[in-house]
Amino acid sequence: MLNPFRYFNSSAEIIRLTVMMYIRYPLSLRQVEDLLFERGIDLCHETVRLWWNRFGPMFAAEIWKRRFQSEPPRDCRRLQLLRGWSYDKENIGKIFT
């Protein structure tokens, strides 16, 4: 698979940080630009928008895959049982005690 960041002068870490900062927090493009400028990264708000449009769906797909490929933790057994999911018959006594 080709590197999707190959045509950009910035590193992949900075692009990921910028896009995730815009997605995760209720910030405008100019606020993200100002926060990055305070940390020594000089970008235009249009660059943030371009990166968000180009890499946002890719990062969302990665998060989606990670979220649904992993098994639920062991402490979710009660929730699994209440929602009608499959459960361990050996541990059924431990769930309701």
Side-chain angles (χ1 to χ4, degrees):
M1 181 175 176
L2 295 174
N3 183 8
F5 306 103
R6 68 185 173 276
Y7 297 118
F8 295 93
N9 292 332
S10 298
S11 68
E13 292 84 16
I14 291 177
I15 294 173
R16 185 176 295 272
L17 170 74
T18 304
V19 172
M20 296 309 287
M21 188 183 292
Y22 182 67
I23 292 172
R24 175 67 177 101
Y25 302 106
L27 300 172
S28 69
L29 295 171
R30 293 187 189 268
Q31 289 172 333
V32 172
E33 176 188 8
D34 292 340
L35 283 173
L36 292 172
F37 184 75
E38 290 175 2
R39 288 163 178 79
I41 303 169
D42 191 16
L43 295 174
C44 177
H45 67 280
E46 284 298 314
T47 305
V48 176
R49 185 188 60 79
L50 172 78
W51 289 350
W52 172 62
N53 285 335
R54 179 158 181 165
F55 298 111
M58 183 179 75
F59 296 151
E62 288 176 7
I63 292 169
W64 185 264
K65 284 179 190 175
R66 271 189 274 140
R67 185 175 290 169
F68 288 105
Q69 283 180 350
S70 63
E71 292 184 22
R74 297 277 290 165
D75 57 344
C76 290
R77 294 291 183 191
R78 179 177 296 210
L79 182 63
Q80 288 175 348
L81 184 66
L82 293 176
R83 288 187 178 176
W85 295 348
S86 63
Y87 56 90
D88 274 340
K89 290 183 180 180
E90 298 170 2
N91 294 330
I92 192 72
K94 297 178 186 177
I95 292 174
F96 293 107
T97 57

